[in-house]
Amino acid sequence: MSVTAIVGAQWGDEGKGRIVDYLAQKAQVVIRFQGGDNAGHTVINDKGKFALHIIPSGIFNPETLCIVGAGTVVNFDTMAKELASIASAGVDGKNLFIDRRAHLILPFHCLLDGAEEASKKSGWAVGTTKRGVGPCYSDKASRVGIRASDILDPERLRVRLEMMLPQKNRQLEHYGIPTVTLEELLEICAKWREAFGSQIVDTFPILREAIQSDKEILLEGQLGIMRDLDWGIYPYTTSSNPTAGGACSGAGISPRHIDSIIGVVKAYSTSVGGGPFPTELFDKDGEKLRSVGLEFGATTGRPRRCGWFDAVAASFSCWINGFTAIAVTKLDVLDSFEKIKICTGYMLNGELITDLPDTSGQEQAKPVYEEMEGWMCSTEEARTWDDLPPKAQAYVKRLEELTGAPIAFISVGPERDQIIIMQ
Ligand code: GDP
């Protein structure tokens, strides 16, 4: 029995959802520890294909307690829609709970998100999904935010909203957006209380009990380290910490209690949104990665930027997160490439570097590649290491060596069983 954190080792969209979905089959608790409904996990299992945005991927197992943790920001309207979408597949969502400390995304957060993004100078757009996540976290940091527990206490809620509203309405007016009234917000929160009130709980005693009784616990991250507020490509980042460190604070679990940290890496690189992306390809290989890998956002449908595997970023990610193992996803997408490149260093100011520089360094860095032979056959049916062609084995071994953590899983297709479990 153990606590395992699963985090994105690149720019997000690594395929974390399917790894969590797989591990959640035996997990007793799954906790989303940061972020909001601004990124999607695609989960394909025996119940169908689902795009989850805020609900933990463990939801499909009715025995699994699913927690939306204290470090998240929650839009109850989208949570309701998501619950409705899985209800049609017979998943009742009764195993879903939201921590009292999670912050709430209110409708004006979404409007401000879009307006703030539109006001940025050309080239500085973050590429937000306009889900209100950034403005909600700003309010949290400014200590004016509304927490899930506030809606359970109408008097407290009224006072908190009264204090927050004048400033919010000034911001809305500044952007020419219609202002909001206290009554409107109270009405929305009353609706949310009605729908979710019984699921807003204090998760601290629940998790303490789960750890003390040696339950199997998964901590589920969203996005990836390169979008981390502190260690990512600031300002093109999200407003929270999708790293293993963020898992501790967001879920309320001490670093001492985390036994394994699994970094999910795609066998190549993709990024959605702004900011540097040194291995980005603008040629037919980039196009091919996008079309074969179906690299379009689960939340927005936006085409993802595609490039070769960046081992400089991966080894940085491994160090900051402290991966005990990695899961390599989407190996099958490379099946028809004759040559595959791996970025092993950057040229920056005339020097070869292998430590990831910060944002401005990444903007100027030129990737240095090594080239490997492609295997030119399908890996989709592989279920063991020995089933993989030798050239695919060599590629995966090289990723392991450059990243710096042993490989625990290799996925070769989106279906639940298209996975190789390394012993
Ligand atoms: P997440 O946010 O990290 O969970 O990633 P997404 O769900 O946004 O993106 C991963 C996408 O790749 C989804 O559409 C998955 O169904 C798909 N996927 C995951 N693993 C594999 C794989 O091994 N092969 C292929 N071809 N697709 C995969």
Side-chain angles (χ1 to χ4, degrees), residues 176-334:
I177 301 169
T179 55
V180 283
T181 64
L182 179 66
E183 294 314 316
E184 275 170 59
L185 292 176
L186 286 172
E187 204 174 300
I188 291 167
C189 292
K191 192 184 74 185
W192 289 345
R193 178 166 58 246
E194 176 77 26
F196 290 100
S198 61
Q199 284 160 286
I200 299 171
V201 298
D202 186 351
T203 63
F204 155 64
I206 300 174
L207 288 181
R208 184 179 55 188
E209 192 281 324
I211 288 174
Q212 285 173 339
S213 58
D214 275 343
K215 294 216 165 102
E216 194 77 43
I217 300 172
L218 285 188
L219 307 178
E220 176 181 8
Q222 172 234 34
L223 298 168
I225 187 171
M226 303 305 288
R227 301 282 176 195
D228 183 274
L229 184 59
D230 295 297
W231 291 98
I233 46 174
Y234 188 89
Y236 309 98
T237 56
T238 195
S239 304
S240 59
N241 298 102
T243 47
C248 295
S249 53
I253 290 188
S254 157
R256 287 173 51 206
H257 289 128
I258 297 193
D259 303 287
S260 342
I261 300 168
I262 300 179
V264 184
V265 291
K266 210 177 262 190
Y268 49 97
S269 302
T270 62
S271 171
V272 180
F277 183 39
T279 64
E280 182 166 13
L281 292 170
F282 299 95
D283 59 5
K284 60 177 184 13
D285 284 333
E287 270 305 315
K288 186 167 164 184
L289 286 172
R290 187 160 33 249
S291 60
V292 179
L294 301 175
E295 297 295 354
F296 298 90
T299 303
T300 58
R302 280 187 289 186
R304 295 174 180 152
R305 300 157 72 189
C306 296
W308 298 119
F309 187 84
D310 186 337
V312 179
S315 88
F316 167 87
S317 175
C318 184
W319 176 255
I320 300 273
N321 283 297
F323 295 147
T324 55
I326 54 173
V328 177
T329 61
K330 302 190 98 163
L331 185 67
D332 55 299
V333 174
L334 299 176

Side-chain angles (χ1 to χ4, degrees), residues 32-87:
R32 251 297 288 279
F33 60 81
Q34 47 73 231
D37 57 317
N38 52 328
H41 286 317
T42 311
V43 175
I44 301 177
N45 56 30
D46 50 359
K47 299 197 165 59
K49 179 175 178 178
F50 307 91
L52 298 180
H53 303 288
I54 183 66
I55 296 178
S57 307
I59 197 74
F60 300 99
N61 181 353
E63 305 303 317
T64 307
L65 186 65
C66 289
I67 292 177
V68 178
T72 61
V73 289
V74 179
N75 182 332
F76 276 128
D77 284 340
T78 50
M79 186 178 268
K81 280 193 201 133
E82 222 165 288
L83 280 172
S85 78
I86 56 175

Side-chain angles (χ1 to χ4, degrees), residues 346-390:
Y346 296 155
M347 287 306 292
L348 182 64
N349 301 325
E351 265 182 60
L352 176 68
I353 57 165
T354 51
D355 280 343
L356 189 80
D358 76 354
T359 313
S360 58
Q362 287 179 54
E363 278 164 354
Q364 294 156 44
K366 297 279 170 275
V368 175
Y369 291 113
E370 68 180 36
E371 194 172 77
M372 297 193 71
E373 294 282 317
W375 43 95
M376 298 299 285
C377 61
S378 173
T379 55
E380 285 172 19
E381 304 300 325
R383 296 294 176 269
T384 66
W385 175 252
D386 292 339
D387 292 341
L388 286 177

